[in-house]
Amino acid sequence: QVQLVESGGDLVQPGGSLRLSCAASGSIFSINAMGWYRQAPGKQRELVAEITNGGTTLYADSVKGRFTISRDNAKNTGYLQMNSLKPEDTAVYYCKAGIRTSGSYYFRPYWGQGTQVTVSS
């Protein structure tokens, strides 16, 4: 009924940039917070950045000053601009959104399938 589809993952050299997108589709009434998480091999999934529907942002200390989260509410799409990438940023990046579907009174979390980001020379 609702899908989140991430795109933009790629292989990039250290110091490079990538822009990830997360497009939500389906019977969407409203989206509150949207967030990006990542999971490296052998590690737990961690929050990278989050943005509320009002535009308030939150970042992990490891990405502050390098990553920027944004959203286009009209398009139900979130973005993560990643600059000055480091090898330790290598991970599968997942989008998460709190979505209220048409006919529902509640928000529930939805996850995308993930997109691979590899930072290597």
Side-chain angles (χ1 to χ4, degrees):
Q1 200 174 21
V2 171
Q3 268 194 318
L4 292 182
V5 178
E6 300 104 331
S7 61
D10 205 346
L11 169 64
V12 64
Q13 291 187 343
S17 298
L18 283 176
R19 188 192 196 210
L20 305 183
S21 298
C22 171
S25 62
S27 302
I28 297 170
F29 180 82
S30 180
I31 302 175
N32 53 19
M34 297 185 79
W36 289 93
Y37 291 71
R38 66 187 180 187
Q39 187 166 19
K43 294 188 176 181
Q44 288 189 331
R45 192 173 296 188
E46 62 175 0
L47 174 67
V48 175
E50 186 177 80
I51 184 168
T52 68
N53 57 1
T56 300
T57 58
L58 171 72
Y59 295 94
D61 288 343
S62 59
V63 307
K64 281 181 182 176
R66 300 188 297 123
F67 291 10
T68 302
I69 189 171
S70 61
R71 62 192 285 172
D72 184 333
N73 292 331
K75 295 181 179 179
N76 288 335
T77 299
Y79 306 96
L80 185 67
Q81 177 67 41
M82 305 186 294
N83 299 329
S84 302
L85 282 161
K86 304 175 181 180
E88 50 264 43
D89 294 318
T90 296
V92 177
Y93 283 71
Y94 297 91
C95 175
K96 178 185 176 184
I99 296 176
R100 178 182 167 188
T101 56
S102 303
S104 172
Y105 292 102
Y106 306 103
F107 288 89
R108 58 155 286 196
Y110 289 84
W111 290 88
Q113 81 290 349
T115 185
Q116 177 69 47
V117 172
T118 303
V119 184
S120 175
S121 54

